[in-house]
Amino acid sequence: MSTNQVELSGTGAEQRTQVIRRDLQTLGRHDWGLWVLALVIILSLTAAVASLSTSVISEPNDPFYEFHISQSVRGLVGLVLVFSVYTLYQQVQLRRTRVRLAEQVEISAQQHIRAEELLKLAMLDPLTGLHNRRYAQDRLATEISRAQRFKSSLTVLMLDLDDFKRINDHYGHPTGDSALKIFAERLSTAIRGSDLAVRIGGDEFVVLLPECNLGQVQVVLGRLSPLAIEVEGKQVPFEFSVGWTEYREGETPEELLRRADDSLYAEKKARKTRCILSRTRAAHEEISPHHSTKM
């Protein structure tokens, strides 16, 4: 396996979302500032108008002064109206900007969620729901780094189903898919939360077991049997083969997986040899009594 780094494609969208949220907060502060400024100006103009009106009332017999005061009052009233219209216009613009930014935040958040979903789908096997080879590459590299850093153990299991081709050929591919799903479910329930079960392709599976000794490996394997699929109302048993190895200091992920695969191959070969010897012995025992009788 070659290690491929898979990055979250929605990271940029998440950053944009944070920027937009920050801009919204800034707009909110500006909005409040505009309201405060409007209130101060309106109160100031109101005070000026009231002061001028008081002056007019105090000197009612001065026509010249009354004329200029009247013009000033009209000007102040006009300024109040102009500022009020300007304030309303700015409020409308700010509201539109907030709505537009809120829509962008929603779109960006949806894109981020969609990116996470796509990443999750890219890391999962669609048939079994287990993680796939790509995810296993990254996780194995992480577990090896942890084992090196803390001087802890890391066990890798390599498993496949026995005579899987025969199951597909004899019972059909849907039945073969059912066998894979059943085995994947059993794997998921047999391991700990810190472990990882992966389908790397076909009927091949890999299990990463950090800090797991030989006794715990046997416990995991004991939870996988017996296995059976239902075919036309009948339970058809099937089995699996497994090989495992422990991480060695300085070993690469590829070397570790290769040794686990070699262990699986050696186990399958040994089982096949034992099966042949068992059949040969049974045939010999069946022939021997007849041969003795003839003698």
Side-chain angles (χ1 to χ4, degrees), residues 225-255:
S225 298
L227 294 165
I229 47 177
E230 185 174 342
V231 180
E232 297 179 353
K234 297 180 180 179
Q235 293 294 316
V236 178
F238 65 97
E239 297 180 346
F240 67 95
S241 296
V242 58
W244 68 84
T245 187
E246 290 189 348
Y247 169 70
R248 295 173 181 172
E249 183 68 26
E251 198 170 30
T252 66
E254 291 78 13
E255 291 170 343

PDB file of all heavy atoms in Angstrom, residues 225-255:
ATOM      1  N   SER A 225     -16.238 -16.405  15.245  1.00  0.00           N
ATOM      2  CA  SER A 225     -16.857 -17.681  14.853  1.00  0.00           C
ATOM      3  C   SER A 225     -17.994 -18.009  15.813  1.00  0.00           C
ATOM      4  O   SER A 225     -17.976 -17.589  16.982  1.00  0.00           O
ATOM      5  CB  SER A 225     -15.807 -18.800  14.870  1.00  0.00           C
ATOM      6  OG  SER A 225     -14.781 -18.524  13.928  1.00  0.00           O
ATOM      7  N   PRO A 226     -18.986 -18.800  15.352  1.00  0.00           N
ATOM      8  CA  PRO A 226     -19.146 -19.332  13.992  1.00  0.00           C
ATOM      9  C   PRO A 226     -19.791 -18.311  13.057  1.00  0.00           C
ATOM     10  O   PRO A 226     -20.426 -17.360  13.497  1.00  0.00           O
ATOM     11  CB  PRO A 226     -20.059 -20.530  14.216  1.00  0.00           C
ATOM     12  CG  PRO A 226     -20.916 -20.108  15.379  1.00  0.00           C
ATOM     13  CD  PRO A 226     -20.027 -19.280  16.268  1.00  0.00           C
ATOM     14  N   LEU A 227     -19.632 -18.540  11.753  1.00  0.00           N
ATOM     15  CA  LEU A 227     -20.191 -17.667  10.722  1.00  0.00           C
ATOM     16  C   LEU A 227     -21.106 -18.485   9.812  1.00  0.00           C
ATOM     17  O   LEU A 227     -20.808 -19.629   9.483  1.00  0.00           O
ATOM     18  CB  LEU A 227     -19.064 -17.055   9.890  1.00  0.00           C
ATOM     19  CG  LEU A 227     -18.127 -16.085  10.623  1.00  0.00           C
ATOM     20  CD1 LEU A 227     -16.863 -15.863   9.799  1.00  0.00           C
ATOM     21  CD2 LEU A 227     -18.823 -14.765  10.893  1.00  0.00           C
ATOM     22  N   ALA A 228     -22.200 -17.870   9.415  1.00  0.00           N
ATOM     23  CA  ALA A 228     -23.134 -18.565   8.516  1.00  0.00           C
ATOM     24  C   ALA A 228     -23.969 -17.535   7.765  1.00  0.00           C
ATOM     25  O   ALA A 228     -24.229 -16.434   8.255  1.00  0.00           O
ATOM     26  CB  ALA A 228     -24.043 -19.511   9.308  1.00  0.00           C
ATOM     27  N   ILE A 229     -24.373 -17.897   6.558  1.00  0.00           N
ATOM     28  CA  ILE A 229     -25.283 -17.080   5.762  1.00  0.00           C
ATOM     29  C   ILE A 229     -26.534 -17.895   5.480  1.00  0.00           C
ATOM     30  O   ILE A 229     -26.498 -19.132   5.392  1.00  0.00           O
ATOM     31  CB  ILE A 229     -24.628 -16.647   4.423  1.00  0.00           C
ATOM     32  CG1 ILE A 229     -23.956 -17.844   3.742  1.00  0.00           C
ATOM     33  CG2 ILE A 229     -23.668 -15.514   4.602  1.00  0.00           C
ATOM     34  CD1 ILE A 229     -23.368 -17.513   2.393  1.00  0.00           C
ATOM     35  N   GLU A 230     -27.639 -17.201   5.346  1.00  0.00           N
ATOM     36  CA  GLU A 230     -28.902 -17.881   5.085  1.00  0.00           C
ATOM     37  C   GLU A 230     -29.143 -17.956   3.587  1.00  0.00           C
ATOM     38  O   GLU A 230     -29.154 -16.933   2.894  1.00  0.00           O
ATOM     39  CB  GLU A 230     -30.052 -17.140   5.768  1.00  0.00           C
ATOM     40  CG  GLU A 230     -31.381 -17.873   5.629  1.00  0.00           C
ATOM     41  CD  GLU A 230     -32.485 -17.210   6.431  1.00  0.00           C
ATOM     42  OE1 GLU A 230     -32.156 -16.417   7.351  1.00  0.00           O
ATOM     43  OE2 GLU A 230     -33.664 -17.471   6.143  1.00  0.00           O
ATOM     44  N   VAL A 231     -29.325 -19.159   3.081  1.00  0.00           N
ATOM     45  CA  VAL A 231     -29.581 -19.385   1.661  1.00  0.00           C
ATOM     46  C   VAL A 231     -30.827 -20.251   1.534  1.00  0.00           C
ATOM     47  O   VAL A 231     -30.832 -21.416   1.966  1.00  0.00           O
ATOM     48  CB  VAL A 231     -28.385 -20.073   0.971  1.00  0.00           C
ATOM     49  CG1 VAL A 231     -28.681 -20.287  -0.511  1.00  0.00           C
ATOM     50  CG2 VAL A 231     -27.123 -19.243   1.153  1.00  0.00           C
ATOM     51  N   GLU A 232     -31.890 -19.668   1.005  1.00  0.00           N
ATOM     52  CA  GLU A 232     -33.158 -20.381   0.813  1.00  0.00           C
ATOM     53  C   GLU A 232     -33.635 -21.027   2.111  1.00  0.00           C
ATOM     54  O   GLU A 232     -34.024 -22.198   2.147  1.00  0.00           O
ATOM     55  CB  GLU A 232     -33.013 -21.435  -0.291  1.00  0.00           C
ATOM     56  CG  GLU A 232     -32.689 -20.838  -1.651  1.00  0.00           C
ATOM     57  CD  GLU A 232     -32.534 -21.901  -2.728  1.00  0.00           C
ATOM     58  OE1 GLU A 232     -32.543 -23.101  -2.357  1.00  0.00           O
ATOM     59  OE2 GLU A 232     -32.409 -21.537  -3.909  1.00  0.00           O
ATOM     60  N   GLY A 233     -33.537 -20.252   3.195  1.00  0.00           N
ATOM     61  CA  GLY A 233     -34.018 -20.720   4.479  1.00  0.00           C
ATOM     62  C   GLY A 233     -33.077 -21.634   5.227  1.00  0.00           C
ATOM     63  O   GLY A 233     -33.382 -22.079   6.334  1.00  0.00           O
ATOM     64  N   LYS A 234     -31.919 -21.914   4.647  1.00  0.00           N
ATOM     65  CA  LYS A 234     -30.943 -22.789   5.304  1.00  0.00           C
ATOM     66  C   LYS A 234     -29.711 -21.993   5.699  1.00  0.00           C
ATOM     67  O   LYS A 234     -29.310 -21.056   4.999  1.00  0.00           O
ATOM     68  CB  LYS A 234     -30.534 -23.933   4.366  1.00  0.00           C
ATOM     69  CG  LYS A 234     -31.682 -24.854   3.980  1.00  0.00           C
ATOM     70  CD  LYS A 234     -31.188 -25.950   3.048  1.00  0.00           C
ATOM     71  CE  LYS A 234     -32.324 -26.891   2.646  1.00  0.00           C
ATOM     72  NZ  LYS A 234     -31.852 -27.954   1.720  1.00  0.00           N
ATOM     73  N   GLN A 235     -29.105 -22.357   6.815  1.00  0.00           N
ATOM     74  CA  GLN A 235     -27.880 -21.730   7.281  1.00  0.00           C
ATOM     75  C   GLN A 235     -26.671 -22.426   6.656  1.00  0.00           C
ATOM     76  O   GLN A 235     -26.463 -23.614   6.862  1.00  0.00           O
ATOM     77  CB  GLN A 235     -27.799 -21.797   8.808  1.00  0.00           C
ATOM     78  CG  GLN A 235     -28.838 -20.956   9.524  1.00  0.00           C
ATOM     79  CD  GLN A 235     -28.639 -19.466   9.284  1.00  0.00           C
ATOM     80  OE1 GLN A 235     -27.516 -18.963   9.342  1.00  0.00           O
ATOM     81  NE2 GLN A 235     -29.733 -18.769   9.009  1.00  0.00           N
ATOM     82  N   VAL A 236     -25.928 -21.700   5.873  1.00  0.00           N
ATOM     83  CA  VAL A 236     -24.733 -22.228   5.216  1.00  0.00           C
ATOM     84  C   VAL A 236     -23.508 -21.656   5.924  1.00  0.00           C
ATOM     85  O   VAL A 236     -23.258 -20.443   5.868  1.00  0.00           O
ATOM     86  CB  VAL A 236     -24.694 -21.853   3.730  1.00  0.00           C
ATOM     87  CG1 VAL A 236     -23.405 -22.383   3.075  1.00  0.00           C
ATOM     88  CG2 VAL A 236     -25.929 -22.394   3.011  1.00  0.00           C
ATOM     89  N   PRO A 237     -22.746 -22.486   6.620  1.00  0.00           N
ATOM     90  CA  PRO A 237     -21.580 -21.973   7.348  1.00  0.00           C
ATOM     91  C   PRO A 237     -20.435 -21.610   6.403  1.00  0.00           C
ATOM     92  O   PRO A 237     -20.298 -22.165   5.317  1.00  0.00           O
ATOM     93  CB  PRO A 237     -21.199 -23.142   8.256  1.00  0.00           C
ATOM     94  CG  PRO A 237     -21.693 -24.349   7.535  1.00  0.00           C
ATOM     95  CD  PRO A 237     -22.929 -23.933   6.793  1.00  0.00           C
ATOM     96  N   PHE A 238     -19.631 -20.665   6.822  1.00  0.00           N
ATOM     97  CA  PHE A 238     -18.399 -20.342   6.094  1.00  0.00           C
ATOM     98  C   PHE A 238     -17.340 -19.944   7.125  1.00  0.00           C
ATOM     99  O   PHE A 238     -17.643 -19.591   8.262  1.00  0.00           O
ATOM    100  CB  PHE A 238     -18.618 -19.240   5.054  1.00  0.00           C
ATOM    101  CG  PHE A 238     -18.986 -17.896   5.632  1.00  0.00           C
ATOM    102  CD1 PHE A 238     -18.031 -16.911   5.843  1.00  0.00           C
ATOM    103  CD2 PHE A 238     -20.320 -17.602   5.948  1.00  0.00           C
ATOM    104  CE1 PHE A 238     -18.374 -15.675   6.357  1.00  0.00           C
ATOM    105  CE2 PHE A 238     -20.665 -16.368   6.462  1.00  0.00           C
ATOM    106  CZ  PHE A 238     -19.702 -15.395   6.676  1.00  0.00           C
ATOM    107  N   GLU A 239     -16.088 -20.009   6.689  1.00  0.00           N
ATOM    108  CA  GLU A 239     -14.978 -19.768   7.603  1.00  0.00           C
ATOM    109  C   GLU A 239     -14.044 -18.708   7.035  1.00  0.00           C
ATOM    110  O   GLU A 239     -14.212 -18.257   5.890  1.00  0.00           O
ATOM    111  CB  GLU A 239     -14.214 -21.072   7.866  1.00  0.00           C
ATOM    112  CG  GLU A 239     -15.045 -22.148   8.556  1.00  0.00           C
ATOM    113  CD  GLU A 239     -14.252 -23.422   8.793  1.00  0.00           C
ATOM    114  OE1 GLU A 239     -13.160 -23.554   8.192  1.00  0.00           O
ATOM    115  OE2 GLU A 239     -14.713 -24.280   9.573  1.00  0.00           O
ATOM    116  N   PHE A 240     -13.062 -18.355   7.837  1.00  0.00           N
ATOM    117  CA  PHE A 240     -12.086 -17.354   7.426  1.00  0.00           C
ATOM    118  C   PHE A 240     -10.696 -17.818   7.830  1.00  0.00           C
ATOM    119  O   PHE A 240     -10.527 -18.677   8.700  1.00  0.00           O
ATOM    120  CB  PHE A 240     -12.386 -15.999   8.070  1.00  0.00           C
ATOM    121  CG  PHE A 240     -12.201 -15.994   9.560  1.00  0.00           C
ATOM    122  CD1 PHE A 240     -11.006 -15.575  10.139  1.00  0.00           C
ATOM    123  CD2 PHE A 240     -13.231 -16.402  10.404  1.00  0.00           C
ATOM    124  CE1 PHE A 240     -10.828 -15.576  11.506  1.00  0.00           C
ATOM    125  CE2 PHE A 240     -13.065 -16.409  11.778  1.00  0.00           C
ATOM    126  CZ  PHE A 240     -11.861 -15.993  12.329  1.00  0.00           C
ATOM    127  N   SER A 241      -9.704 -17.255   7.166  1.00  0.00           N
ATOM    128  CA  SER A 241      -8.310 -17.487   7.532  1.00  0.00           C
ATOM    129  C   SER A 241      -7.716 -16.178   8.030  1.00  0.00           C
ATOM    130  O   SER A 241      -8.147 -15.091   7.618  1.00  0.00           O
ATOM    131  CB  SER A 241      -7.506 -17.992   6.327  1.00  0.00           C
ATOM    132  OG  SER A 241      -7.983 -19.252   5.899  1.00  0.00           O
ATOM    133  N   VAL A 242      -6.722 -16.295   8.911  1.00  0.00           N
ATOM    134  CA  VAL A 242      -6.134 -15.091   9.492  1.00  0.00           C
ATOM    135  C   VAL A 242      -4.640 -15.292   9.708  1.00  0.00           C
ATOM    136  O   VAL A 242      -4.184 -16.383  10.038  1.00  0.00           O
ATOM    137  CB  VAL A 242      -6.824 -14.729  10.831  1.00  0.00           C
ATOM    138  CG1 VAL A 242      -6.717 -15.879  11.828  1.00  0.00           C
ATOM    139  CG2 VAL A 242      -6.246 -13.455  11.419  1.00  0.00           C
ATOM    140  N   GLY A 243      -3.914 -14.229   9.481  1.00  0.00           N
ATOM    141  CA  GLY A 243      -2.502 -14.181   9.830  1.00  0.00           C
ATOM    142  C   GLY A 243      -2.239 -12.857  10.524  1.00  0.00           C
ATOM    143  O   GLY A 243      -2.923 -11.865  10.255  1.00  0.00           O
ATOM    144  N   TRP A 244      -1.310 -12.839  11.427  1.00  0.00           N
ATOM    145  CA  TRP A 244      -1.025 -11.578  12.119  1.00  0.00           C
ATOM    146  C   TRP A 244       0.444 -11.465  12.457  1.00  0.00           C
ATOM    147  O   TRP A 244       1.185 -12.450  12.484  1.00  0.00           O
ATOM    148  CB  TRP A 244      -1.882 -11.441  13.372  1.00  0.00           C
ATOM    149  CG  TRP A 244      -1.562 -12.397  14.486  1.00  0.00           C
ATOM    150  CD1 TRP A 244      -0.598 -12.261  15.456  1.00  0.00           C
ATOM    151  CD2 TRP A 244      -2.215 -13.631  14.746  1.00  0.00           C
ATOM    152  NE1 TRP A 244      -0.617 -13.339  16.296  1.00  0.00           N
ATOM    153  CE2 TRP A 244      -1.618 -14.198  15.894  1.00  0.00           C
ATOM    154  CE3 TRP A 244      -3.279 -14.333  14.139  1.00  0.00           C
ATOM    155  CZ2 TRP A 244      -2.012 -15.408  16.431  1.00  0.00           C
ATOM    156  CZ3 TRP A 244      -3.673 -15.533  14.671  1.00  0.00           C
ATOM    157  CH2 TRP A 244      -3.050 -16.058  15.800  1.00  0.00           C
ATOM    158  N   THR A 245       0.828 -10.232  12.702  1.00  0.00           N
ATOM    159  CA  THR A 245       2.206  -9.938  13.076  1.00  0.00           C
ATOM    160  C   THR A 245       2.235  -8.658  13.885  1.00  0.00           C
ATOM    161  O   THR A 245       1.279  -7.871  13.858  1.00  0.00           O
ATOM    162  CB  THR A 245       3.098  -9.789  11.829  1.00  0.00           C
ATOM    163  OG1 THR A 245       4.461  -9.664  12.223  1.00  0.00           O
ATOM    164  CG2 THR A 245       2.702  -8.561  11.030  1.00  0.00           C
ATOM    165  N   GLU A 246       3.338  -8.434  14.601  1.00  0.00           N
ATOM    166  CA  GLU A 246       3.506  -7.227  15.398  1.00  0.00           C
ATOM    167  C   GLU A 246       4.494  -6.284  14.727  1.00  0.00           C
ATOM    168  O   GLU A 246       5.416  -6.721  14.026  1.00  0.00           O
ATOM    169  CB  GLU A 246       3.971  -7.567  16.812  1.00  0.00           C
ATOM    170  CG  GLU A 246       2.913  -8.243  17.669  1.00  0.00           C
ATOM    171  CD  GLU A 246       3.349  -8.348  19.119  1.00  0.00           C
ATOM    172  OE1 GLU A 246       4.538  -8.105  19.401  1.00  0.00           O
ATOM    173  OE2 GLU A 246       2.484  -8.659  19.964  1.00  0.00           O
ATOM    174  N   TYR A 247       4.283  -5.013  14.963  1.00  0.00           N
ATOM    175  CA  TYR A 247       5.159  -3.991  14.387  1.00  0.00           C
ATOM    176  C   TYR A 247       6.577  -4.111  14.944  1.00  0.00           C
ATOM    177  O   TYR A 247       6.785  -4.338  16.141  1.00  0.00           O
ATOM    178  CB  TYR A 247       4.598  -2.601  14.692  1.00  0.00           C
ATOM    179  CG  TYR A 247       5.560  -1.479  14.382  1.00  0.00           C
ATOM    180  CD1 TYR A 247       5.878  -1.153  13.072  1.00  0.00           C
ATOM    181  CD2 TYR A 247       6.167  -0.766  15.411  1.00  0.00           C
ATOM    182  CE1 TYR A 247       6.766  -0.141  12.783  1.00  0.00           C
ATOM    183  CE2 TYR A 247       7.052   0.255  15.130  1.00  0.00           C
ATOM    184  CZ  TYR A 247       7.358   0.564  13.815  1.00  0.00           C
ATOM    185  OH  TYR A 247       8.235   1.566  13.546  1.00  0.00           O
ATOM    186  N   ARG A 248       7.560  -3.952  14.044  1.00  0.00           N
ATOM    187  CA  ARG A 248       8.957  -3.957  14.423  1.00  0.00           C
ATOM    188  C   ARG A 248       9.530  -2.548  14.268  1.00  0.00           C
ATOM    189  O   ARG A 248       9.184  -1.833  13.320  1.00  0.00           O
ATOM    190  CB  ARG A 248       9.744  -4.934  13.538  1.00  0.00           C
ATOM    191  CG  ARG A 248       9.343  -6.388  13.706  1.00  0.00           C
ATOM    192  CD  ARG A 248      10.041  -7.257  12.673  1.00  0.00           C
ATOM    193  NE  ARG A 248       9.662  -8.665  12.794  1.00  0.00           N
ATOM    194  CZ  ARG A 248      10.017  -9.608  11.914  1.00  0.00           C
ATOM    195  NH1 ARG A 248      10.775  -9.279  10.857  1.00  0.00           N
ATOM    196  NH2 ARG A 248       9.625 -10.865  12.085  1.00  0.00           N
ATOM    197  N   GLU A 249      10.377  -2.164  15.181  1.00  0.00           N
ATOM    198  CA  GLU A 249      10.953  -0.817  15.183  1.00  0.00           C
ATOM    199  C   GLU A 249      11.592  -0.497  13.831  1.00  0.00           C
ATOM    200  O   GLU A 249      12.376  -1.282  13.289  1.00  0.00           O
ATOM    201  CB  GLU A 249      12.009  -0.717  16.294  1.00  0.00           C
ATOM    202  CG  GLU A 249      12.627   0.671  16.431  1.00  0.00           C
ATOM    203  CD  GLU A 249      11.640   1.704  16.947  1.00  0.00           C
ATOM    204  OE1 GLU A 249      10.684   1.310  17.650  1.00  0.00           O
ATOM    205  OE2 GLU A 249      11.818   2.898  16.650  1.00  0.00           O
ATOM    206  N   GLY A 250      11.218   0.664  13.284  1.00  0.00           N
ATOM    207  CA  GLY A 250      11.788   1.118  12.021  1.00  0.00           C
ATOM    208  C   GLY A 250      11.103   0.571  10.791  1.00  0.00           C
ATOM    209  O   GLY A 250      11.506   0.892   9.660  1.00  0.00           O
ATOM    210  N   GLU A 251      10.074  -0.224  10.972  1.00  0.00           N
ATOM    211  CA  GLU A 251       9.383  -0.846   9.852  1.00  0.00           C
ATOM    212  C   GLU A 251       8.433   0.143   9.186  1.00  0.00           C
ATOM    213  O   GLU A 251       7.787   0.963   9.850  1.00  0.00           O
ATOM    214  CB  GLU A 251       8.606  -2.065  10.360  1.00  0.00           C
ATOM    215  CG  GLU A 251       8.201  -3.042   9.288  1.00  0.00           C
ATOM    216  CD  GLU A 251       7.655  -4.318   9.901  1.00  0.00           C
ATOM    217  OE1 GLU A 251       7.070  -4.248  11.006  1.00  0.00           O
ATOM    218  OE2 GLU A 251       7.820  -5.382   9.276  1.00  0.00           O
ATOM    219  N   THR A 252       8.331   0.090   7.870  1.00  0.00           N
ATOM    220  CA  THR A 252       7.391   0.946   7.142  1.00  0.00           C
ATOM    221  C   THR A 252       6.010   0.291   7.128  1.00  0.00           C
ATOM    222  O   THR A 252       5.883  -0.924   7.354  1.00  0.00           O
ATOM    223  CB  THR A 252       7.857   1.171   5.702  1.00  0.00           C
ATOM    224  OG1 THR A 252       7.819  -0.087   4.996  1.00  0.00           O
ATOM    225  CG2 THR A 252       9.271   1.725   5.659  1.00  0.00           C
ATOM    226  N   PRO A 253       4.956   1.062   6.867  1.00  0.00           N
ATOM    227  CA  PRO A 253       3.615   0.463   6.772  1.00  0.00           C
ATOM    228  C   PRO A 253       3.544  -0.634   5.728  1.00  0.00           C
ATOM    229  O   PRO A 253       2.891  -1.668   5.943  1.00  0.00           O
ATOM    230  CB  PRO A 253       2.727   1.657   6.389  1.00  0.00           C
ATOM    231  CG  PRO A 253       3.448   2.853   6.924  1.00  0.00           C
ATOM    232  CD  PRO A 253       4.895   2.539   6.783  1.00  0.00           C
ATOM    233  N   GLU A 254       4.211  -0.430   4.601  1.00  0.00           N
ATOM    234  CA  GLU A 254       4.179  -1.443   3.543  1.00  0.00           C
ATOM    235  C   GLU A 254       4.839  -2.744   3.997  1.00  0.00           C
ATOM    236  O   GLU A 254       4.343  -3.841   3.715  1.00  0.00           O
ATOM    237  CB  GLU A 254       4.883  -0.912   2.288  1.00  0.00           C
ATOM    238  CG  GLU A 254       4.157   0.209   1.568  1.00  0.00           C
ATOM    239  CD  GLU A 254       4.328   1.547   2.260  1.00  0.00           C
ATOM    240  OE1 GLU A 254       5.213   1.645   3.158  1.00  0.00           O
ATOM    241  OE2 GLU A 254       3.585   2.486   1.921  1.00  0.00           O
ATOM    242  N   GLU A 255       5.961  -2.623   4.702  1.00  0.00           N
ATOM    243  CA  GLU A 255       6.657  -3.820   5.181  1.00  0.00           C
ATOM    244  C   GLU A 255       5.830  -4.564   6.234  1.00  0.00           C
ATOM    245  O   GLU A 255       5.775  -5.796   6.235  1.00  0.00           O
ATOM    246  CB  GLU A 255       8.007  -3.411   5.774  1.00  0.00           C
ATOM    247  CG  GLU A 255       9.002  -2.912   4.735  1.00  0.00           C
ATOM    248  CD  GLU A 255      10.232  -2.287   5.365  1.00  0.00           C
ATOM    249  OE1 GLU A 255      10.174  -1.942   6.567  1.00  0.00           O
ATOM    250  OE2 GLU A 255      11.254  -2.134   4.658  1.00  0.00           O
TER     251      GLU A 255
END
